[in-house]
Amino acid sequence: MTDPAAAPMADDRFAPGARVRTFRHDPPHHTRLPRYARGKRGTVVEPEGPAALADVNARGRGDAPVEQIYAVRFAARDLWGEGDHHVVLDLWESYLEEDSDDER
């Protein structure tokens, strides 16, 4: 059986430097999107490669979609209201949406 994570991915949805926003959701099941990062704006650092979506895998299902994971940089101040450093999180593509300039 072929490892789905080894399958070639289509073009990356987000390029390095792209401004993104995480989805603001609170699912009734496991998610790898930390609560403190939900609904926050960040910048894509780089694609990390594809992997099965942990949210589905954690529920014991065998049908987890394979998605690109992105390293996304957030200003600590945007996450916690203070700090002058940055935090980088590895996030699945389905956690992210494009952050349009007119929302700023």
Side-chain angles (χ1 to χ4, degrees):
M1 181 175 194
T2 304
D3 177 7
M9 296 293 290
D11 290 336
D12 293 331
R13 180 174 171 201
F14 302 109
R19 296 282 300 157
V20 294
R21 180 192 294 260
T22 61
F23 281 106
R24 184 187 312 264
H25 72 293
D26 189 17
H29 53 74
H30 172 81
T31 182
R32 294 297 301 265
L33 177 57
R35 187 175 306 275
Y36 64 80
R38 296 177 192 172
K40 304 297 182 175
R41 291 182 169 121
T43 303
V44 171
V45 176
E46 65 183 353
E48 297 277 312
L53 182 60
D55 299 38
V56 176
N57 268 348
R59 290 183 275 164
R61 294 174 38 187
D63 62 343
V66 174
E67 297 183 5
Q68 181 65 266
I69 296 175
Y70 293 92
V72 181
R73 184 179 65 241
F74 298 89
R77 184 171 306 285
D78 292 342
L79 297 177
W80 298 295
E82 60 182 283
D84 56 2
H85 61 285
H86 289 90
V87 175
V88 177
L89 300 173
D90 290 340
L91 301 173
W92 272 263
E93 186 173 290
S94 62
Y95 299 164
L96 305 172
E97 62 186 351
E98 186 176 347
D99 184 26
S100 64
D101 290 336
D102 48 333
E103 292 181 18
R104 290 186 194 165

